[in-house]
Amino acid sequence: MVIAKDQSTAKKSKIGGRKRIASAEEGEVDDDTVFVQLLKTAGVILKYGNLPNKLTLDQAIFQKKLYQSLRKHARYPNVVQEFIRGMESYIENRDKFRNCLLPCGQYQEGESSNTVNYQESLIKLLLGIEILQPPVMNMLFEKIPEFMYDGVPEDGINLPRLIINQFKWLDRIVDSKDLTNKVLQLISVAPLEIQCDIITSLPEILEDAQHNEIAKELNSLLQQNTHLTVSILDALSSLNLRAELLVEVRHSVMSTLSAVKLDDLPVVVKFILHAITTADAMEVIRELRKNLELESCVLPCQLQASQGKQNQIAKGTSVSRENGSNDCVAIMFDVIKAAVRFQKVTAEAWIKAIESVDSAAEHKVIDLLVLLILHSAGASISKKQVEKLLRSKIRLDQIRDQLLQVAFRSHALVVREYFPSVLSLAQTLLRSPDISVVSFGSQMYKYAFMMFDSYCQQEVVGALVTHVCSGFTAEVDISLDVLTDLVSQSSSAMAIYAIFVKGILDYMDNLSPQQIRKLFFILSTLAFSRGLEGSHIQDDMHIIIRKQLSSTISKYKRIGIIGAVMMVGSMACDGSKVDTCSSDLPAMSKESFRQATALLELVRSCSEHSPEAAALYYDEMANLVQKGNLDPQVQELIGRSVLDDFQEDFVVDLIPDIADKYLLPLKCMFNLDEEESEGGIVINLLPLLSNSLTNASIDGKPSKQGAKKCVSPVSLASFFRLLRLCEEVQHDGNLEEIDALLGCPLHLTNLELVEKVESLSKPERELLCSLLFHAINWFREVVNGFCKLQDIEMKGKVLLRLQNITQLQGLLEKCITATPGYVPPLANFDSEITEVPPTIAPAAVAKKRNKDLKGKRKQKSEGSKNSSTDSSQTEEPSEESQMPTGNTQGKENNEEGKVFVNLANYRAYFRELDINVFFALQSGLVTKSQLDSELHTKVTEVVQLGSAELVFLLEDLSRKLDYMLVANVTKKILFLKVKGDRDVGFSHLRQMTPQQVAQFTLKLLNPLCNHLENAHNFFQALMAGNNGVVDVLGSDVKESQRMAACYHLLLQILNTLFAWCGFAQNENRKLLKSALDVLANRLKAGDGELGMEELFRQTFRYLQNFQNTIPRCASAVTLTQLLIVISSRSSDSQCKEKIATIARGFLCQSWILPTGEKEKGNKYNEALDTLLCIYLKHTDDVLKSVEEIAGVGVPELMNSTKEGNSRTFPTLTRQTFLVFYRVMMRELDSSVKEIPSGTQSDSAEVQIEKLLRWNLAVRDFHILVNLVKVFDSRPVLGVCLKHGRLFIESFLKQGMPLLDYSFKKHRDDVHSLLKTLQLSTRQLHHMCGHSKGEEILTQQSQEESGGDEASQLPEDDMEEEVEEEENDECESKIRKATRDDEDSDSD
């Protein structure tokens, strides 16, 4: 019967359309066991084989019927055990057990078997019946071990996993605690795969009441087995845990973060971030950031592959997910991105965590990557907030280029995902006024181009071109520099985007000559490095250059000359001589040589009619030759006719008697080869200058196009530079062919005319000034050319030429003084000099009569307006240049109406000194008189430098180092076009990198130290003869002034070198160590190699020895700043105390000028301000130091005479009191802000310490406020009101809470402090009222006088009414607090 029924069932299945054909063994199970019969009665038909068990009723009805059948059974409760035993015997068969675990099929008569809805499995239905649940669970837990270690069965069904699924989502668990214990026991013995399944299913199995208990077990299991990390964290994420337990679990997870497998990292981070609250967000993110080490996520092989990947990416291949580690890191950042995008608390916590890091060593790559994520998210955090934070970190040198490099090279996949943010941030940073921020933005552009695909490269080039076309000088410069680097490093990749760069040609009118040079270098490199591929650019460049060269406007002709020379340089570049040229640059063909020759001839013919154009052409060609990478054919073509043309144009034979037919008498001067005067040569300067001026006056302009070649002294120095460099290249540095030019004389005039220059006519004076300018520029270029020669005689002549320069500069000052409105001839032709320098600076001119007030005010405003036009580059050096010429100033000041000229304002009209000239500093220092006595004898040794020549060289070296070695990474860039180009005079220097300049300066350190020690000995000798005072009355005042200038310049050079921000970079640490070695060995030559800390200490000691012989207050400031720079790089804690002692010593010193007068003036006051700030910032206790100055030094001053000073602080006089007062008030405000605010949790000792600090601060404040009664000038009043308000504000915010908490224990101290402060606030109140009344009186007097007289109130007097209200409010609060305290005391 059973078989027949099975066959009929099989036929029915066939008719019903079932795809699976039942086997003969498949059919209904029908036996007499309680298990089968009760199930059949309740509505479940058990099946054999692969057929699912059939459920004929609804699931709930089945469970109810079975439950009732069991309860109403005659043998209840024994029937339950029989039912379980029957079930156990039934599921002994694996197939039957599998069917019981699989979902049941619903069977209804008369319907096709295709209409089977999903039902639960039989086991799951039985677990839903309370009386059956415990035994069924026990049975299942006993069955799991049977299948734990089975392999993959034929049917592919994992029975342990099916069994675990039966426990999920049960409506009710009879004994949840027992279930939890059994689950934990099973986890402890199960294999890894089963453990993962069980742990992952725990949230769906257990009730909420058991979540905390299971979480503790999982937490301990997590510490034991890291392989279960993902499963445990998945489970914990879904458990409902107490806050305390969640924190404990999170700490445990965080502690294992560094040991987590890379594949598990995203899950771990997701768990940490998923339950962050406002209260613990900051702590969690800070700890996560601390423990998350991305460096360990990058394998060494990946680091090597990333470097080789650049070339592959540059060809247009995209960044792909190359390995699992990259995928995991990317997924982890996706998790962070989701967290910060949807949880504002998390985003703000990341910002604060990154912001709280205060050193570069503590910053990690994740900081930079998270900032990119935050910038891209945009929803929860402001982009401007991210940009502001990144700028601040870069400005403080906390996020550096090395971090950016690691981010791009090790995590390119992550960074690529946020490329729009990278581009946006780079654009923002590049427009910053801070050099360090701009440099960081440029590096972002470079790495983005080098590491990303072609789409990103195109976007980068487009953004850089947009920057170039912006019109802002600094933005244009840095963008062109980035493009230049990209072209030099990846010319093949950049060639694809040449069409974008070519678009900049439409904006050349807004570019400076230096920027045009960079642009044509970029375009010509792209055009000629790819052969035929760049032909379309070549044609466009030829058209533009020819058009510019044919222009009669000097600006466009200059563009054509620069572009043509740069184009020739790329066409004739010899790739075997230099690395920067593209490796695929072909050898120069005959056609290329013909084009280069034709272009050079075109440039020469278009420029020879204009002296300025010819000089620019010579300078550009000289720069091209100096690079040394020209093709030999082109090099020979350039040098072929240079020597003959120079001799023909500028050199004549030396003739004793010369006919005088010029405006000034002709005289041969400065001949160093007098013994070879017969048959000698001379530079034909005066005749050529007279002829050029005559032609200019006839034509009305220099020369017309198409006229014959114009020979002018304007191009003399430029032509010689080209000649000298061609000779060096052709003869391997040998200049014997032209060495006669070093000692040959010049056709000048009788220089005695300078003494009576005022009697000359205006044309004669201007001719004399131009003659001296050309002579000085000739000597400067000659010194440039022959400074590298090692021959002793040549060295001597070079030093003599330096003496000639200093001599002529002294004469030039007198000539320019007598020639107002004179415009010098150009000497630097690659820049536009639109401003006429302020030729005459007024000295102390005696006024015989009072002029109209209005006229004086107008004249003053105009004078200040004119004098400030070039202040950015002339103000600071002018002080240096005035130091050696102080005696002439003194003489002129004594004569009424005399004026003097500062040649520092004329630097743009002098030829640039090459950096090799400074090797002349290796010569020793002797006095000028000894040098003069040797000039009349035959030179047999190297002539030593005099003080004037030393000052000349040191001034130029100092300016060059200031220009190249940026002392502070936060130095500002001026985006607006300023008057006076600070780049003028540094064309040759800009071809070097800061690292190269620093290396060169290291070679000069020993000579510089020699000169520094000589200056020290000079003033030490003066002090020894004058009882320890630098008093040179009766000695050579001029020599003393020059030596003081040398002292100052030498210290300034050392300060600029050691303050260079590049020393903070790892690649420059060796340079820093070498520099420290030189100075440390000057003190004591060490036998072995010293460590960095010992080198810093020895260097500090060496420089400290110079403090006793400093002759000027400005030099004292420079020495102190140099010591601060050295100490800032060292960890020696004693340096701060030593610097405070040194600064105090300078403040306690009388500064006497060589004339015997005390130092005074604005520069002196600024130096005192700086010294006092340094002293108060480095002293142990600022408040005690302020009290000493205000309580000891000022009373001494008050008791002295009108011109007297304080005995303790000789620098404190009535003239400098404002400086001291302003600094003391400022530092007092700063110091009280650093006192922590009082809290109720402070211990008694902490409260007493804070109370003592505030007591001392209030006492200092009271002393300073009362000083206004004696020193009642308006500036002092303004300082008191300004900083008094700030002090009161700090007291209310930080001091009053402390007094509240301390009042009960320290009542008397609090009362005393408040009473003292109340006296001060009353005084401030009176000052505010006084200032307001004075302002009204001043306004009335202005109305009566017609408004001609301006108010003399300080600038912040307009705010005094607001200050008065604030002070009144402060006073009322303090009075109220005092009254409350008194009331409480009385109580």
Side-chain angles (χ1 to χ4, degrees):
M1 288 293 295
V2 175
I3 295 175
K5 194 171 184 178
D6 290 343
Q7 289 176 352
S8 64
T9 304
K11 291 179 182 179
K12 194 171 184 179
S13 299
K14 223 172 186 180
I15 296 171
R18 291 181 62 88
K19 295 181 180 179
R20 184 176 53 82
I21 300 175
S23 63
E25 297 181 354
E26 292 177 348
E28 294 182 4
V29 176
D30 191 7
D31 55 29
D32 297 332
T33 62
V34 174
F35 172 71
V36 175
Q37 293 301 322
L38 287 179
L39 287 179
K40 189 173 181 180
T41 304
V44 170
I45 302 174
L46 299 176
K47 295 287 185 177
Y48 286 109
N50 294 325
L51 286 177
N53 298 323
K54 298 296 182 181
L55 183 63
T56 60
L57 300 174
D58 185 74
Q59 295 180 137
I61 297 175
F62 161 74
Q63 290 176 327
K64 183 178 180 181
K65 289 185 67 175
L66 181 58
Y67 175 73
Q68 291 175 350
S69 300
L70 290 171
R71 288 299 301 269
K72 294 178 180 180
H73 199 278
R75 296 194 301 273
Y76 181 84
N78 294 330
V79 69
V80 175
Q81 297 178 0
E82 295 179 17
F83 183 87
I84 296 299
R85 284 196 297 270
M87 181 178 177
E88 289 177 353
S89 61
Y90 180 80
I91 62 175
E92 287 295 332
N93 182 280
R94 185 183 185 280
D95 292 338
K96 293 180 180 179
F97 186 36
R98 180 199 62 205
N99 287 345
C100 292
L101 295 173
L102 291 175
C104 296
Q106 188 173 9
Y107 175 76
Q108 296 180 359
E109 292 291 339
E111 290 185 8
S112 171
S113 59
N114 278 338
T115 61
V116 177
N117 298 322
Y118 176 79
Q119 300 289 347
E120 296 288 357
S121 67
L122 176 61
I123 299 293
K124 188 71 173 285
L125 294 174
L126 296 180
L127 287 172
I129 301 174
E130 293 183 11
I131 58 176
L132 295 178
Q133 187 184 88
V136 172
M137 281 186 176
N138 292 334
M139 180 179 60
L140 292 177
F141 278 117
E142 292 173 0
K143 293 290 290 184
I144 290 178
E146 296 182 14
F147 307 100
M148 275 185 182
Y149 301 98
D150 290 353
V152 180
E154 295 180 0
D155 54 10
I157 295 176
N158 189 327
L159 286 183
R161 185 173 297 168
L162 271 180
I163 296 173
I164 294 168
N165 288 339
Q166 308 307 308
F167 299 106
K168 293 181 180 180
W169 307 116
L170 295 177
D171 294 334
R172 184 175 181 275
I173 298 177
V174 177
D175 191 352
S176 58
K177 191 171 183 179
D178 181 65
L179 174 62
T180 303
N181 293 333
K182 285 187 169 58
V183 169
L184 291 176
Q185 292 176 9
L186 183 61
I187 292 174
S188 63
V189 298
L192 180 62
E193 183 181 359
I194 306 301
Q195 284 180 320
C196 293
D197 289 337
I198 297 173
I199 293 172
T200 306
S201 304
L202 285 176
E204 301 155 4
I205 296 175
L206 302 178
E207 292 183 339
D208 290 354
Q210 305 300 319
H211 282 188
N212 290 313
E213 180 183 352
I214 197 68
K216 292 179 182 179
E217 298 296 332
L218 292 178
N219 187 22
S220 61
L221 185 61
L222 180 65
Q223 310 299 321
Q224 301 169 9
N225 192 346
T226 58
H227 297 288
L228 299 175
T229 301
V230 175
S231 302
I232 292 175
L233 294 182
D234 275 343
L236 290 173
S237 300
S238 304
L239 296 178
N240 185 15
L241 306 180
R242 297 194 312 271
E244 300 82 4
L245 183 58
L246 182 62
V247 171
E248 180 183 347
V249 172
R250 189 161 53 212
H251 281 307
S252 301
V253 174
M254 200 83 75
S255 63
T256 62
L257 192 60
S258 57
V260 168
K261 289 172 57 179
L262 194 57
D263 295 341
D264 301 340
L265 194 59
V267 179
V268 176
V269 173
K270 183 177 181 180
F271 171 77
I272 294 173
L273 295 176
H274 94 283
I276 284 183
T277 61
T278 306
D280 61 1
M282 183 64 187
E283 180 186 355
V284 172
I285 295 300
R286 188 177 294 174
E287 193 173 356
L288 173 63
R289 182 197 158 278
K290 179 181 177 181
N291 294 322
L292 198 57
E293 298 290 344
L294 287 187
E295 290 76 7
S296 61
C297 301
V298 182
L299 303 177
C301 58
Q302 288 177 247
L303 290 174
Q304 297 173 3
S306 65
Q307 298 175 0
K309 189 172 62 177
Q310 295 180 18
N311 296 332
Q312 178 186 3
I313 294 174
K315 297 177 182 178
T317 60
S318 62
V319 178
S320 60
R321 305 198 171 200
E322 294 179 323
N323 47 54
S325 64
N326 276 341
D327 289 340
C328 294
V329 174
I331 295 171
M332 183 196 70
F333 279 104
D334 287 341
V335 169
I336 297 176
K337 179 180 179 181
V340 300
R341 174 168 290 181
F342 300 112
Q343 299 176 16
K344 187 176 181 180
V345 173
T346 305
E348 292 175 349
W350 273 111
I351 288 286
K352 292 178 181 178
I354 297 173
E355 193 174 8
S356 64
V357 182
D358 56 1
S359 69
E362 295 178 6
H363 271 292
K364 301 179 178 181
V365 182
I366 190 173
D367 297 334
L368 203 55
L369 298 177
V370 168
L371 285 177
L372 289 177
I373 293 173
L374 291 170
H375 189 272
S376 66
S380 57
I381 208 77
S382 170
K383 291 186 178 181
K384 290 186 178 180
Q385 190 175 353
V386 176
E387 294 167 0
K388 180 181 177 181
L389 176 59
L390 183 58
R391 276 197 304 266
S392 174
K393 287 293 181 180
I394 299 169
R395 191 181 298 114
L396 296 174
D397 197 30
Q398 294 175 1
I399 291 183
R400 299 176 177 173
D401 291 347
Q402 295 91 327
L403 208 63
L404 185 68
Q405 180 178 353
V406 173
F408 272 89
R409 293 191 172 179
S410 302
H411 307 286
L413 178 65
V414 178
V415 181
R416 172 61 182 87
E417 187 175 349
Y418 305 102
F419 174 73
S421 291
V422 172
L423 202 62
S424 176
L425 283 172
Q427 290 173 346
T428 303
L429 298 180
L430 207 68
R431 296 188 176 102
S432 172
D434 297 312
I435 291 180
S436 57
V437 178
V438 171
S439 175
F440 195 89
S442 66
Q443 291 296 328
M444 290 183 74
Y445 275 126
K446 291 179 188 177
Y447 290 131
F449 185 89
M450 300 293 290
M451 299 301 300
F452 294 157
D453 51 44
S454 58
Y455 165 76
C456 298
Q457 291 176 341
Q458 178 177 323
E459 292 296 314
V460 168
V461 175
L464 290 172
V465 171
T466 303
H467 285 302
V468 175
C469 300
S470 66
F472 294 106
T473 303
E475 191 175 343
V476 174
D477 281 332
I478 193 66
S479 304
L480 287 173
D481 289 339
V482 174
L483 287 172
T484 302
D485 291 342
L486 293 179
V487 166
S488 301
Q489 298 170 11
S490 305
S491 60
S492 57
M494 275 293 296
I496 306 173
Y497 313 105
I499 191 67
F500 294 97
V501 183
K502 193 187 71 171
I504 304 175
L505 292 173
D506 298 333
Y507 297 86
M508 281 196 300
D509 284 351
N510 299 326
L511 302 182
S512 67
Q514 293 86 358
Q515 294 165 349
I516 290 171
R517 186 183 293 114
K518 295 176 185 177
L519 174 60
F520 275 103
F521 170 79
I522 294 168
L523 288 173
S524 57
T525 303
L526 293 176
F528 294 98
S529 64
R530 299 282 290 176
L532 296 177
E533 295 182 22
S535 58
H536 64 288
I537 304 178
Q538 297 176 18
D539 295 339
D540 292 341
M541 291 180 66
H542 275 292
I543 293 172
I544 291 174
I545 288 173
R546 289 179 180 275
K547 177 181 177 181
Q548 305 289 0
L549 287 173
S550 61
S551 175
T552 57
I553 302 174
S554 59
K555 175 182 178 180
Y556 298 115
K557 186 181 289 290
R558 182 166 58 239
I559 294 175
I561 293 172
I562 294 173
V565 174
M566 296 307 298
M567 197 168 173
V568 170
S570 295
M571 294 168 65
C573 180
D574 188 350
S576 62
K577 295 183 180 180
V578 68
D579 296 334
T580 56
C581 287
S582 177
S583 58
D584 56 355
L585 188 67
M588 193 172 189
S589 61
K590 291 183 179 180
E591 177 61 22
S592 298
F593 179 71
R594 185 194 64 78
Q595 291 183 6
T597 305
L599 194 55
L600 285 176
E601 179 60 28
L602 176 64
V603 180
R604 188 193 62 78
S605 62
C606 291
S607 60
E608 64 181 4
H609 307 295
S610 169
E612 289 79 10
L616 176 61
Y617 169 64
Y618 296 144
D619 277 337
E620 293 298 311
M621 290 301 298
N623 292 336
L624 192 61
V625 172
Q626 190 178 21
K627 292 180 180 178
N629 61 341
L630 283 179
D631 188 86
Q633 304 175 70
V634 178
Q635 180 65 57
E636 182 183 358
L637 175 67
I638 295 172
R640 188 179 302 162
S641 60
V642 171
L643 181 57
D644 295 337
D645 290 345
F646 184 83
Q647 290 178 344
E648 179 182 351
D649 292 344
F650 299 106
V651 179
V652 296
D653 293 333
L654 181 59
I655 303 174
D657 298 327
I658 306 173
D660 189 1
K661 58 180 180 180
Y662 305 106
L663 196 59
L664 295 175
L666 186 64
K667 186 175 180 180
C668 189
M669 301 287 292
F670 300 108
N671 187 3
L672 301 183
D673 300 322
E674 294 184 2
E675 69 279 2
E676 302 175 3
S677 58
E678 296 182 3
I681 59 173
V682 62
I683 302 299
N684 197 26
L685 191 55
L686 178 58
L688 288 175
L689 182 59
S690 299
N691 293 336
S692 63
L693 293 176
T694 302
N695 294 335
S697 63
I698 294 174
D699 298 338
K701 53 185 179 180
S703 188
K704 295 182 179 180
Q705 186 76 15
K708 65 178 182 178
K709 178 181 178 181
C710 178
V711 179
S712 169
V714 171
S715 58
L716 170 62
S718 301
F719 205 164
F720 171 73
R721 180 174 180 80
L722 175 60
L723 169 63
R724 185 256 300 181
L725 290 171
C726 287
E727 289 293 319
E728 284 185 356
V729 172
Q730 291 176 356
H731 301 94
D732 296 328
N734 191 343
L735 298 178
E736 289 183 359
E737 293 288 332
I738 59 172
D739 59 359
L741 295 174
L742 175 59
C744 75
L746 288 80
H747 273 159
L748 297 175
T749 188
N750 190 350
L751 297 182
E752 294 178 359
L753 292 173
V754 176
E755 299 300 327
K756 51 182 179 179
V757 64
E758 294 181 355
S759 63
L760 300 177
S761 65
K762 182 179 180 181
E764 289 173 338
R765 291 198 302 267
E766 292 184 347
L767 177 61
L768 182 58
C769 290
S770 297
L771 200 61
L772 292 175
F773 266 108
H774 287 304
I776 291 173
N777 284 328
W778 166 254
F779 286 146
R780 290 171 77 103
E781 202 58 65
V782 164
V783 169
N784 284 341
F786 295 97
C787 64
K788 292 187 291 186
L789 297 182
Q790 299 301 317
D791 182 73
I792 293 180
E793 184 178 357
M794 292 293 104
K795 283 187 175 182
K797 290 182 178 180
V798 169
L799 295 181
L800 289 173
R801 286 307 185 205
L802 288 174
Q803 295 175 15
N804 297 151
I805 293 173
T806 57
Q807 177 187 353
L808 289 175
Q809 286 185 165
L811 298 175
L812 182 60
E813 286 182 354
K814 297 179 181 179
C815 291
I816 297 179
T817 301
T819 315
Y822 168 72
V823 180
L826 291 177
N828 299 283
F829 307 95
D830 60 347
S831 59
E832 296 181 4
I833 304 175
T834 58
E835 289 293 322
V836 178
T839 56
I840 296 175
V845 181
K847 304 293 182 182
K848 289 186 177 181
R849 59 188 178 87
N850 293 329
K851 297 183 179 180
D852 178 66
L853 181 62
K854 184 174 181 179
K856 283 198 299 180
R857 189 169 303 280
K858 181 178 180 182
Q859 181 181 1
K860 181 179 179 181
S861 63
E862 291 176 354
S864 62
K865 185 177 180 181
N866 292 335
S867 63
S868 64
T869 54
D870 199 27
S871 61
S872 62
Q873 60 174 333
T874 61
E875 181 179 352
E876 186 173 334
S878 64
E879 181 193 4
E880 301 166 8
S881 58
Q882 289 174 14
M883 295 181 75
T885 59
N887 66 323
T888 57
Q889 286 179 237
K891 291 179 181 178
E892 292 173 347
N893 291 346
N894 293 332
E895 300 178 17
E896 183 181 338
K898 288 288 184 179
V899 291
F900 70 94
V901 166
N902 186 1
L903 286 183
N905 297 327
Y906 290 85
R907 291 195 192 108
Y909 299 95
F910 292 115
R911 295 288 292 180
E912 179 183 357
L913 286 181
D914 286 348
I915 200 167
N916 291 319
V917 171
F918 301 113
F919 281 124
L921 292 170
Q922 295 174 349
S923 304
L925 174 67
V926 296
T927 62
K928 188 70 167 60
S929 59
Q930 292 173 325
L931 191 58
D932 283 341
S933 64
E934 293 178 0
L935 285 178
H936 301 291
T937 60
K938 184 177 180 180
V939 179
T940 57
E941 296 179 353
V942 176
V943 180
Q944 293 181 317
L945 283 174
S947 57
E949 294 76 49
L950 185 57
V951 170
F952 169 73
L953 290 175
L954 291 177
E955 282 182 345
D956 198 82
L957 177 59
S958 178
R959 284 195 299 272
K960 283 180 165 58
L961 295 185
D962 284 338
Y963 181 82
M964 289 298 292
L965 303 182
V966 179
N968 191 353
V969 293
T970 62
K971 189 173 181 180
K972 299 291 184 181
I973 298 175
L974 298 178
F975 273 79
L976 299 179
K977 292 185 177 179
V978 294
K979 296 180 180 179
D981 189 357
R982 71 179 296 268
D983 293 333
V984 174
F986 297 109
S987 297
H988 307 153
L989 187 67
R990 284 198 302 271
Q991 298 176 11
M992 302 177 66
T993 64
Q995 287 79 5
Q996 292 173 332
V997 174
Q999 288 174 347
F1000 175 84
T1001 311
L1002 290 187
K1003 299 176 184 177
L1004 299 177
L1005 270 186
N1006 267 318
L1008 291 174
C1009 290
N1010 289 334
H1011 292 300
L1012 186 62
E1013 292 166 11
N1014 287 335
H1016 168 77
N1017 295 334
F1018 177 87
F1019 288 103
Q1020 194 173 38
L1022 286 179
M1023 294 173 65
N1026 294 279
N1027 297 323
V1029 179
V1030 182
D1031 187 0
V1032 292
L1033 290 178
S1035 61
D1036 190 348
V1037 176
K1038 180 180 289 187
E1039 184 69 14
S1040 176
Q1041 288 176 331
R1042 288 173 178 167
M1043 292 301 296
C1046 291
Y1047 213 149
H1048 179 77
L1049 289 168
L1050 287 164
L1051 291 173
Q1052 189 170 338
I1053 288 169
L1054 292 177
N1055 185 36
T1056 304
L1057 174 64
F1058 284 101
W1060 177 45
C1061 61
F1063 280 140
Q1065 300 172 359
N1066 292 329
E1067 56 266 26
N1068 295 323
R1069 295 290 290 177
K1070 291 183 178 179
L1071 281 179
L1072 177 60
K1073 188 175 186 301
S1074 302
L1076 294 172
D1077 271 329
V1078 174
L1079 269 64
N1081 289 330
R1082 303 289 300 191
L1083 186 66
K1084 180 181 179 181
D1087 299 331
E1089 185 175 355
L1090 300 177
M1092 288 295 289
E1093 283 300 322
E1094 184 62 26
L1095 286 175
F1096 279 121
R1097 280 193 289 270
Q1098 295 293 339
T1099 301
F1100 190 93
R1101 286 180 54 200
Y1102 171 72
L1103 296 171
Q1104 189 179 359
N1105 292 335
F1106 294 101
Q1107 61 177 312
N1108 296 323
T1109 58
I1110 296 295
R1112 299 285 181 273
C1113 190
S1115 303
V1117 171
T1118 307
L1119 175 61
T1120 311
Q1121 290 172 338
L1122 174 57
L1123 292 173
I1124 292 174
V1125 168
I1126 298 297
S1127 64
S1128 66
R1129 302 184 185 278
S1130 170
S1131 59
D1132 190 354
S1133 59
Q1134 298 180 353
C1135 290
K1136 184 178 180 180
E1137 181 181 352
K1138 293 178 181 177
I1139 290 172
T1141 304
I1142 293 171
R1144 178 187 169 86
F1146 289 142
L1147 292 171
C1148 297
Q1149 179 177 338
S1150 295
W1151 298 101
I1152 309 297
L1153 292 172
T1155 57
E1157 300 176 352
K1158 290 186 177 180
E1159 276 197 68
K1160 58 184 178 180
N1162 291 334
K1163 294 291 183 183
Y1164 174 66
N1165 290 342
E1166 291 175 6
L1168 278 184
D1169 189 299
T1170 306
L1171 278 177
L1172 187 55
C1173 284
I1174 292 173
Y1175 168 58
L1176 294 179
K1177 288 183 183 299
H1178 289 78
T1179 188
D1180 291 337
D1181 194 330
V1182 179
L1183 300 179
K1184 289 183 179 179
S1185 300
V1186 170
E1187 185 177 23
E1188 180 187 14
I1189 298 174
V1192 178
V1194 176
E1196 291 176 352
L1197 174 63
M1198 293 163 58
N1199 296 328
S1200 66
T1201 61
K1202 184 177 180 181
E1203 299 297 329
N1205 56 261
S1206 168
R1207 292 190 304 274
T1208 307
F1209 297 94
T1211 52
L1212 177 57
T1213 65
R1214 281 173 170 77
Q1215 290 74 29
T1216 62
F1217 172 78
L1218 177 61
V1219 175
F1220 276 77
Y1221 191 77
R1222 180 172 56 242
V1223 175
M1224 286 190 293
M1225 289 292 285
R1226 187 168 62 228
E1227 293 302 321
L1228 179 62
D1229 289 342
S1230 301
S1231 62
V1232 296
K1233 288 178 181 178
E1234 296 175 359
I1235 302 176
S1237 180
T1239 59
Q1240 199 164 6
S1241 60
D1242 288 341
S1243 62
E1245 293 79 6
V1246 174
Q1247 282 189 357
I1248 293 175
E1249 177 65 25
K1250 292 179 180 178
L1251 196 59
L1252 289 175
R1253 296 293 296 170
W1254 271 111
N1255 194 12
L1256 183 56
V1258 170
R1259 187 163 69 245
D1260 289 349
F1261 182 65
H1262 181 64
I1263 296 173
L1264 291 173
V1265 170
N1266 282 333
L1267 288 178
V1268 182
K1269 297 178 181 178
V1270 180
F1271 302 92
D1272 56 352
S1273 64
R1274 289 193 174 277
V1276 174
L1277 186 63
V1279 171
C1280 183
L1281 290 175
K1282 175 182 177 181
H1283 293 284
R1285 176 175 58 85
L1286 298 175
F1287 183 90
I1288 296 296
E1289 288 179 356
S1290 299
F1291 178 81
L1292 290 175
K1293 291 179 181 178
Q1294 298 171 249
M1296 285 301 291
L1298 174 67
L1299 300 187
D1300 291 339
Y1301 301 136
S1302 307
F1303 179 72
K1304 292 183 179 180
K1305 294 182 180 180
H1306 310 282
R1307 179 173 303 179
D1308 294 338
D1309 294 334
V1310 172
H1311 277 174
S1312 174
L1313 188 151
L1314 287 173
K1315 288 178 181 178
T1316 305
L1317 184 63
Q1318 189 179 39
L1319 295 175
S1320 302
T1321 54
R1322 284 175 179 171
Q1323 182 69 21
L1324 289 174
H1325 176 77
H1326 292 316
M1327 291 179 195
C1328 291
H1330 174 74
S1331 300
K1332 185 176 181 181
E1334 289 293 325
E1335 183 180 355
I1336 295 174
L1337 292 176
T1338 305
Q1339 290 175 353
Q1340 291 176 352
S1341 64
Q1342 285 179 347
E1343 293 173 359
E1344 292 173 359
S1345 61
D1348 289 340
E1349 295 184 3
S1351 173
Q1352 297 181 3
L1353 286 172
E1355 292 181 1
D1356 54 351
D1357 278 349
M1358 298 300 293
E1359 301 175 0
E1360 286 181 357
E1361 294 184 30
V1362 179
E1363 293 177 0
E1364 180 182 353
E1365 295 175 1
E1366 292 176 351
N1367 289 328
D1368 289 343
E1369 182 182 355
C1370 296
E1371 185 178 354
S1372 64
K1373 289 182 179 179
I1374 295 172
R1375 284 177 178 172
K1376 182 178 181 301
T1378 307
R1379 287 197 301 268
D1380 293 343
D1381 294 341
E1382 291 174 350
D1383 293 342
S1384 61
D1385 189 15
S1386 61
D1387 293 340

